[in-house]
Amino acid sequence: MSQKKYSTKLFYKYYLDWIHIYKDNAVRQVTLDKYYLVQKCLKELAPDLHMNELNRRNYQQILNLYARNHEKTTTLDFHHHLKASLFDAVDDGLLKSDPTRRAIIKGCSPSEKKIKYLNLFDLQKLLRSLDLNSELNWDWFFLLIAKTGLRFAEALALTKEDFDFEKQRIIINKSWNYKEKIGHFQPTKNESSNRTVMVDWQLMQQFQSLIRSKEDDQLIFFDKNQRVYNSTLNQKLATYCEKLDIPIISIHGLRHTHASLLLYEGVSIASVAKRLGHSNTTTTQETYIHIIRELENKDNDKVLHHLSQLG
């Protein structure tokens, strides 16, 4: 009986082939770029490591080297990208066992985190300062994201036909590829991102008036031939924040603000995840763990107070 031969290909070359087979033309370009960045790092960290030499020990050494210059959360992301490919390697018989099993995730000391969201008082202060006149402008764009939690590219892609005024909801089924010179519609981030978002009646009435003259399939905030830069709008928002003396946040920070305030108001994680278009509640929990812990502490106080009333 012949002994089974496992792959002797260099690890970083195997990972590159795996990207070509499973990820090219299957994920969005921004996601694909992350895979290729991981492959580049892997080549630098383990240029001579072959698949048949890969084991728990030298895989852990790769993670440790990467962790020297990256925070723990970034190292975990690096690990997850590699882990997916190695699961397939085991399934395909290219590896005898899973080298990622019981991997320890380390990382350098985290840098001082910027505030990602506003509290209710500061958000109200910001929204009151916006120039919300009878013509659509980017201030209306800021207001819309603050009230819906849409992603930047999702909000850019909105057309008149996406507004269901009768049912007070916005239909999200596409996004706008603003990173290319000639922008165009593209699918949403994932299947869960195709959703409907309920909106208050006041905002719906305002937008019904604002976009009345638009064609059904026409972008409402800008012309298709116009180039929109995320950095330009972030700077515009930052200028507003500086003027009001509130924490400087990005447009994505408005999305974080929206979700954070909903959680503080007692909206369930499942409902917030669905509204944001997250593929599962785990993503929501990991993103807003600091808020969830704070709410758990408040719940514990309520529990103890209730128990004390029982005699």
Side-chain angles (χ1 to χ4, degrees), residues 177-236:
N177 187 339
Y178 61 91
K179 295 186 177 181
E180 295 185 12
K181 189 173 183 179
I182 301 177
H184 55 84
F185 290 114
Q186 63 181 4
T188 54
K189 187 174 183 180
N190 51 53
E191 186 60 33
S192 300
S193 296
N194 295 319
R195 63 199 190 278
T196 57
V197 178
M198 297 298 296
V199 184
D200 65 275
W201 65 269
Q202 183 181 21
L203 187 71
M204 290 303 279
Q205 282 189 337
Q206 289 169 326
F207 269 85
Q208 188 171 24
S209 175
L210 288 165
I211 65 178
R212 182 176 287 114
S213 62
K214 301 278 186 182
E215 298 294 331
D216 284 350
D217 60 350
Q218 182 182 359
L219 292 170
I220 65 171
F221 284 109
F222 65 104
D223 185 84
K224 286 184 178 180
N225 298 320
Q226 179 184 352
R227 187 81 187 271
V228 178
Y229 293 93
N230 181 274
S231 57
T232 303
L233 292 182
N234 276 333
Q235 184 54 55
K236 183 179 182 69

Coordinates of all heavy atoms in Angstrom, one line a residue, residues 177-236:
N177 N -20.5 51.7 -7.0 CA -19.0 51.6 -7.0 C -18.4 53.0 -7.3 O -18.3 53.4 -8.4 CB -18.6 50.6 -8.1 CG -17.1 50.3 -8.0 OD1 -16.3 51.1 -7.5 ND2 -16.7 49.2 -8.6
Y178 N -18.1 53.7 -6.2 CA -17.6 55.1 -6.3 C -16.0 55.1 -6.4 O -15.4 56.2 -6.6 CB -18.0 55.9 -5.1 CG -17.5 55.4 -3.8 CD1 -16.3 55.8 -3.2 CD2 -18.3 54.4 -3.1 CE1 -15.9 55.3 -2.0 CE2 -17.8 53.9 -1.9 CZ -16.6 54.4 -1.3 OH -16.2 53.9 -0.1
K179 N -15.4 53.9 -6.3 CA -13.9 53.9 -6.2 C -13.3 53.9 -7.6 O -12.1 54.1 -7.7 CB -13.5 52.7 -5.4 CG -13.9 52.8 -3.9 CD -13.3 51.6 -3.1 CE -13.6 51.8 -1.7 NZ -13.1 50.7 -0.8
E180 N -14.1 53.6 -8.6 CA -13.6 53.6 -10.0 C -13.8 54.9 -10.6 O -14.8 55.6 -10.3 CB -14.2 52.4 -10.8 CG -13.8 51.1 -10.3 CD -14.3 49.9 -11.1 OE1 -14.8 50.2 -12.3 OE2 -14.3 48.8 -10.7
K181 N -13.1 55.2 -11.7 CA -13.2 56.5 -12.3 C -14.6 56.7 -12.9 O -15.1 57.8 -12.8 CB -12.1 56.6 -13.4 CG -12.0 58.0 -14.0 CD -10.8 58.1 -15.0 CE -10.7 59.6 -15.5 NZ -9.5 59.7 -16.4
I182 N -15.1 55.7 -13.5 CA -16.5 55.7 -14.0 C -17.3 54.9 -13.1 O -17.2 53.6 -13.1 CB -16.5 55.2 -15.5 CG1 -15.7 56.0 -16.4 CG2 -18.0 55.2 -15.9 CD1 -15.6 55.6 -17.8
G183 N -18.1 55.5 -12.2 CA -18.9 54.8 -11.2 C -20.0 54.0 -11.9 O -20.4 54.3 -13.0
H184 N -20.5 53.0 -11.2 CA -21.6 52.2 -11.7 C -22.2 51.4 -10.5 O -21.7 51.3 -9.5 CB -21.1 51.2 -12.7 CG -20.0 50.3 -12.3 ND1 -20.2 49.2 -11.5 CD2 -18.6 50.4 -12.4 CE1 -19.0 48.6 -11.3 NE2 -18.0 49.4 -11.8
F185 N -23.4 50.9 -10.8 CA -24.1 50.1 -9.8 C -23.4 48.8 -9.6 O -22.9 48.3 -10.6 CB -25.6 49.9 -10.3 CG -26.5 51.1 -10.2 CD1 -27.0 51.6 -11.4 CD2 -26.8 51.7 -9.0 CE1 -27.8 52.8 -11.3 CE2 -27.6 52.8 -8.9 CZ -28.1 53.4 -10.1
Q186 N -23.5 48.3 -8.4 CA -22.9 47.0 -8.1 C -23.8 46.3 -7.1 O -24.6 47.0 -6.4 CB -21.5 47.1 -7.6 CG -21.4 47.9 -6.3 CD -19.9 48.0 -5.8 OE1 -19.0 47.6 -6.5 NE2 -19.8 48.6 -4.7
P187 N -23.7 45.0 -6.9 CA -24.5 44.3 -5.8 C -24.1 44.9 -4.4 O -23.1 45.5 -4.2 CB -24.0 42.9 -6.0 CG -23.5 42.7 -7.3 CD -22.9 44.1 -7.6
T188 N -25.0 44.7 -3.5 CA -24.7 45.0 -2.1 C -23.6 44.2 -1.6 O -23.2 43.2 -2.2 CB -26.0 44.9 -1.3 OG1 -26.5 43.6 -1.4 CG2 -27.1 45.9 -1.7
K189 N -23.2 44.5 -0.3 CA -22.0 43.8 0.2 C -22.3 42.3 0.4 O -21.4 41.5 0.2 CB -21.7 44.4 1.6 CG -20.5 43.9 2.3 CD -20.1 44.6 3.5 CE -18.8 44.1 4.1 NZ -18.5 44.8 5.4
N190 N -23.5 41.9 0.8 CA -23.8 40.5 0.9 C -25.3 40.3 0.7 O -26.0 41.3 0.6 CB -23.3 39.9 2.3 CG -23.8 40.8 3.4 OD1 -25.0 41.1 3.6 ND2 -22.9 41.2 4.3
E191 N -25.8 39.1 0.7 CA -27.2 38.8 0.5 C -28.1 39.5 1.6 O -29.2 40.0 1.3 CB -27.5 37.3 0.5 CG -28.9 36.9 0.1 CD -29.3 37.4 -1.3 OE1 -28.4 37.5 -2.2 OE2 -30.5 37.8 -1.5
S192 N -27.6 39.5 2.8 CA -28.3 40.1 3.9 C -28.5 41.6 3.8 O -29.3 42.2 4.4 CB -27.7 39.7 5.3 OG -27.6 38.4 5.5
S193 N -27.6 42.2 3.0 CA -27.7 43.6 2.8 C -28.8 44.1 1.9 O -29.2 45.2 1.8 CB -26.3 44.1 2.2 OG -25.3 43.9 3.0
N194 N -29.4 43.1 1.2 CA -30.6 43.4 0.4 C -31.8 43.4 1.4 O -32.2 42.3 1.9 CB -30.9 42.3 -0.7 CG -29.8 42.4 -1.7 OD1 -29.3 43.4 -2.1 ND2 -29.3 41.2 -2.1
R195 N -32.3 44.5 1.7 CA -33.3 44.7 2.8 C -34.2 45.9 2.6 O -34.0 46.7 1.6 CB -32.5 44.8 4.1 CG -31.7 46.1 4.2 CD -30.6 46.0 5.2 NE -29.9 47.3 5.5 CZ -28.9 47.7 4.8 NH1 -28.5 47.1 3.7 NH2 -28.3 48.9 5.1
T196 N -35.1 46.1 3.4 CA -35.9 47.3 3.5 C -35.7 47.9 4.8 O -35.6 47.2 5.9 CB -37.4 47.0 3.3 OG1 -37.9 46.1 4.3 CG2 -37.7 46.4 1.9
V197 N -35.6 49.2 4.8 CA -35.3 50.0 6.0 C -36.5 50.9 6.3 O -36.8 51.8 5.5 CB -34.0 50.8 5.9 CG1 -33.8 51.6 7.2 CG2 -32.8 49.9 5.7
M198 N -37.1 50.8 7.4 CA -38.3 51.6 7.8 C -37.7 53.0 8.2 O -36.7 53.1 8.8 CB -39.0 51.0 9.0 CG -39.7 49.7 8.7 SD -40.9 49.8 7.4 CE -42.1 50.9 8.1
V199 N -38.5 54.0 7.8 CA -38.1 55.4 8.0 C -39.2 56.2 8.6 O -40.4 55.9 8.3 CB -37.6 56.1 6.7 CG1 -37.1 57.5 7.0 CG2 -36.5 55.3 6.1
D200 N -39.0 57.2 9.4 CA -40.0 58.0 10.0 C -40.8 58.8 8.9 O -40.2 59.2 7.9 CB -39.5 58.9 11.1 CG -38.5 60.0 10.5 OD1 -37.3 59.7 10.4 OD2 -39.0 61.1 10.2
W201 N -42.0 59.1 9.2 CA -42.9 59.8 8.2 C -42.4 61.1 7.8 O -42.5 61.5 6.7 CB -44.3 59.9 8.8 CG -44.5 60.8 10.0 CD1 -44.4 60.4 11.3 CD2 -44.7 62.2 9.9 NE1 -44.5 61.6 12.1 CE2 -44.7 62.6 11.3 CE3 -44.9 63.1 8.9 CZ2 -44.9 64.0 11.6 CZ3 -45.1 64.5 9.3 CH2 -45.1 64.9 10.6
Q202 N -41.8 61.8 8.8 CA -41.3 63.2 8.5 C -40.2 63.2 7.4 O -40.2 63.9 6.4 CB -40.8 63.9 9.7 CG -40.3 65.3 9.5 CD -39.8 65.9 10.8 OE1 -39.3 65.2 11.7 NE2 -39.8 67.3 10.8
L203 N -39.2 62.2 7.5 CA -38.2 62.1 6.5 C -38.7 61.7 5.2 O -38.3 62.2 4.1 CB -37.1 61.2 7.0 CG -35.8 61.1 6.2 CD1 -35.0 62.4 6.3 CD2 -35.0 59.9 6.5
M204 N -39.7 60.8 5.2 CA -40.3 60.3 3.9 C -41.0 61.5 3.2 O -40.9 61.6 2.0 CB -41.2 59.2 4.2 CG -40.5 57.9 4.6 SD -39.3 57.3 3.4 CE -40.3 56.5 2.2
Q205 N -41.7 62.3 4.0 CA -42.4 63.4 3.4 C -41.4 64.4 2.8 O -41.6 65.0 1.7 CB -43.3 64.1 4.4 CG -44.6 63.4 4.7 CD -45.5 64.2 5.6 OE1 -45.1 65.2 6.3 NE2 -46.8 64.0 5.5
Q206 N -40.3 64.6 3.5 CA -39.3 65.6 3.0 C -38.7 65.1 1.7 O -38.5 65.8 0.7 CB -38.2 65.7 4.1 CG -38.7 66.5 5.3 CD -37.7 66.4 6.5 OE1 -37.0 65.4 6.7 NE2 -37.6 67.5 7.2
F207 N -38.3 63.8 1.6 CA -37.7 63.2 0.4 C -38.7 63.1 -0.7 O -38.3 63.2 -1.9 CB -37.0 61.9 0.7 CG -35.6 62.1 1.1 CD1 -35.2 62.3 2.5 CD2 -34.6 62.0 0.2 CE1 -33.9 62.5 2.8 CE2 -33.3 62.2 0.6 CZ -32.9 62.4 1.9
Q208 N -40.0 62.9 -0.4 CA -41.0 62.8 -1.4 C -41.1 64.1 -2.2 O -41.2 64.2 -3.4 CB -42.3 62.5 -0.8 CG -43.4 62.2 -1.9 CD -44.7 61.7 -1.3 OE1 -45.0 61.9 -0.1 NE2 -45.5 60.9 -2.1
S209 N -40.9 65.2 -1.4 CA -40.9 66.5 -2.1 C -39.6 66.8 -2.8 O -39.6 67.4 -3.9 CB -41.2 67.6 -1.0 OG -41.1 68.9 -1.5
L210 N -38.5 66.4 -2.2 CA -37.2 66.7 -2.7 C -36.9 66.0 -4.1 O -36.2 66.5 -5.0 CB -36.1 66.3 -1.7 CG -36.0 67.2 -0.5 CD1 -35.1 66.5 0.6 CD2 -35.3 68.5 -0.9
I211 N -37.4 64.8 -4.2 CA -37.1 64.0 -5.4 C -38.3 63.8 -6.4 O -38.2 63.0 -7.3 CB -36.6 62.6 -5.0 CG1 -37.7 61.7 -4.3 CG2 -35.4 62.7 -4.1 CD1 -37.2 60.3 -4.0
R212 N -39.3 64.6 -6.2 CA -40.5 64.6 -7.0 C -40.2 64.7 -8.5 O -40.7 64.0 -9.4 CB -41.5 65.6 -6.6 CG -42.8 65.6 -7.4 CD -43.8 66.6 -6.9 NE -44.4 66.2 -5.6 CZ -44.2 66.8 -4.5 NH1 -43.5 68.0 -4.5 NH2 -44.8 66.4 -3.4
S213 N -39.2 65.5 -8.9 CA -38.9 65.8 -10.3 C -37.9 64.8 -10.9 O -37.6 64.9 -12.1 CB -38.4 67.2 -10.4 OG -37.2 67.4 -9.7
K214 N -37.4 63.9 -10.0 CA -36.4 62.9 -10.5 C -37.1 61.8 -11.3 O -38.2 61.5 -11.1 CB -35.7 62.3 -9.3 CG -34.9 63.3 -8.4 CD -33.6 63.7 -9.0 CE -32.8 64.6 -8.1 NZ -31.5 65.0 -8.6
E215 N -36.3 61.2 -12.3 CA -36.7 60.0 -13.0 C -36.6 58.9 -12.0 O -35.8 58.9 -11.1 CB -35.9 59.8 -14.2 CG -36.0 60.9 -15.3 CD -37.3 61.0 -15.9 OE1 -38.1 60.0 -15.9 OE2 -37.7 62.1 -16.3
D216 N -37.4 57.8 -12.2 CA -37.5 56.7 -11.3 C -36.1 56.0 -11.1 O -35.8 55.6 -10.0 CB -38.5 55.6 -11.8 CG -39.9 56.0 -11.5 OD1 -40.1 57.0 -10.8 OD2 -40.8 55.3 -12.0
D217 N -35.3 55.9 -12.2 CA -34.0 55.2 -12.1 C -32.8 56.2 -12.0 O -31.7 55.8 -12.2 CB -33.8 54.3 -13.3 CG -33.9 55.1 -14.7 OD1 -34.2 56.3 -14.6 OD2 -33.5 54.5 -15.7
Q218 N -33.1 57.4 -11.7 CA -32.1 58.4 -11.6 C -31.5 58.5 -10.2 O -32.2 58.5 -9.2 CB -32.7 59.8 -12.0 CG -31.7 60.9 -12.0 CD -32.3 62.3 -12.4 OE1 -33.5 62.3 -12.6 NE2 -31.5 63.3 -12.4
L219 N -30.2 58.6 -10.1 CA -29.5 58.8 -8.8 C -30.0 60.1 -8.2 O -30.1 61.1 -8.9 CB -28.0 58.8 -9.0 CG -27.3 57.5 -9.4 CD1 -25.9 57.7 -9.7 CD2 -27.5 56.4 -8.2
I220 N -30.3 60.1 -6.9 CA -30.9 61.3 -6.4 C -29.9 62.3 -5.9 O -30.2 63.5 -5.8 CB -32.0 61.0 -5.3 CG1 -31.2 60.3 -4.1 CG2 -33.0 60.0 -5.8 CD1 -32.1 60.2 -2.8
F221 N -28.7 61.9 -5.5 CA -27.8 62.8 -4.8 C -26.8 63.4 -5.8 O -26.2 64.4 -5.5 CB -27.1 62.1 -3.7 CG -27.9 62.0 -2.5 CD1 -28.4 60.7 -2.1 CD2 -28.3 63.1 -1.7 CE1 -29.2 60.6 -0.9 CE2 -29.1 63.0 -0.6 CZ -29.5 61.7 -0.2
F222 N -26.5 62.8 -6.9 CA -25.5 63.3 -7.9 C -25.8 62.7 -9.2 O -26.6 61.7 -9.4 CB -24.1 62.9 -7.4 CG -23.8 61.5 -7.3 CD1 -23.0 60.9 -8.3 CD2 -24.3 60.7 -6.3 CE1 -22.8 59.5 -8.2 CE2 -24.1 59.3 -6.2 CZ -23.3 58.7 -7.2
D223 N -25.1 63.2 -10.2 CA -25.2 62.7 -11.6 C -24.3 61.5 -11.8 O -23.2 61.5 -11.2 CB -24.8 63.8 -12.6 CG -25.1 63.4 -14.0 OD1 -26.2 63.5 -14.5 OD2 -24.1 62.9 -14.6
K224 N -24.7 60.5 -12.6 CA -23.9 59.3 -12.8 C -22.5 59.6 -13.3 O -21.5 58.9 -13.1 CB -24.6 58.4 -13.8 CG -25.8 57.7 -13.2 CD -26.3 56.7 -14.2 CE -27.5 55.9 -13.6 NZ -28.1 54.9 -14.6
N225 N -22.3 60.7 -14.1 CA -21.0 61.1 -14.6 C -20.1 61.9 -13.7 O -19.0 62.2 -14.0 CB -21.2 61.9 -15.9 CG -22.0 61.2 -17.0 OD1 -21.8 60.0 -17.2 ND2 -22.9 61.8 -17.7
Q226 N -20.7 62.2 -12.5 CA -19.9 62.9 -11.5 C -19.2 62.0 -10.6 O -19.7 60.9 -10.2 CB -20.9 63.7 -10.6 CG -20.3 64.6 -9.5 CD -21.4 65.3 -8.7 OE1 -22.6 65.2 -9.0 NE2 -20.9 65.8 -7.6
R227 N -17.9 62.3 -10.3 CA -17.1 61.5 -9.4 C -17.3 61.9 -8.0 O -17.2 63.1 -7.6 CB -15.6 61.6 -9.8 CG -14.7 60.6 -9.0 CD -14.7 59.3 -9.7 NE -13.9 58.3 -8.9 CZ -12.6 58.1 -9.0 NH1 -11.9 58.8 -9.9 NH2 -12.0 57.2 -8.3
V228 N -17.6 60.9 -7.1 CA -17.8 61.2 -5.7 C -16.7 60.6 -4.9 O -16.4 59.4 -5.1 CB -19.2 60.7 -5.2 CG1 -19.4 60.9 -3.7 CG2 -20.3 61.3 -6.0
Y229 N -16.1 61.4 -4.0 CA -15.0 60.9 -3.2 C -15.5 60.8 -1.7 O -16.0 61.7 -1.2 CB -13.8 61.8 -3.3 CG -13.2 61.8 -4.6 CD1 -13.5 62.7 -5.6 CD2 -12.2 60.8 -5.0 CE1 -12.9 62.7 -6.8 CE2 -11.6 60.8 -6.2 CZ -12.0 61.8 -7.1 OH -11.4 61.8 -8.4
N230 N -15.3 59.6 -1.1 CA -15.6 59.4 0.3 C -14.8 60.4 1.2 O -15.4 60.9 2.1 CB -15.3 57.9 0.7 CG -15.6 57.6 2.1 OD1 -14.8 57.9 3.0 ND2 -16.8 57.1 2.3
S231 N -13.6 60.6 0.8 CA -12.7 61.5 1.6 C -13.2 62.9 1.6 O -13.1 63.6 2.6 CB -11.3 61.4 1.1 OG -11.2 61.8 -0.3
T232 N -13.7 63.4 0.5 CA -14.2 64.7 0.4 C -15.4 65.0 1.3 O -15.5 66.0 2.0 CB -14.7 65.1 -1.1 OG1 -13.5 64.9 -1.9 CG2 -15.1 66.5 -1.2
L233 N -16.4 64.0 1.3 CA -17.5 64.1 2.1 C -17.2 63.9 3.6 O -17.8 64.6 4.5 CB -18.6 63.1 1.7 CG -19.2 63.4 0.3 CD1 -20.3 62.4 0.0 CD2 -19.8 64.8 0.3
N234 N -16.2 63.1 3.9 CA -15.8 62.9 5.3 C -15.2 64.2 5.8 O -15.4 64.6 7.0 CB -14.8 61.8 5.4 CG -15.4 60.4 5.5 OD1 -16.5 60.3 6.0 ND2 -14.7 59.4 5.0
Q235 N -14.4 64.9 5.0 CA -13.8 66.1 5.4 C -14.9 67.2 5.6 O -14.8 68.0 6.5 CB -12.8 66.6 4.3 CG -12.1 67.9 4.7 CD -11.4 67.8 6.0 OE1 -10.6 66.9 6.2 NE2 -11.6 68.7 6.9
K236 N -15.9 67.2 4.8 CA -17.0 68.1 4.9 C -17.7 67.9 6.3 O -18.0 68.9 7.0 CB -18.0 68.0 3.8 CG -19.2 68.9 3.8 CD -20.1 68.7 2.6 CE -21.3 69.7 2.6 NZ -20.8 71.0 2.2

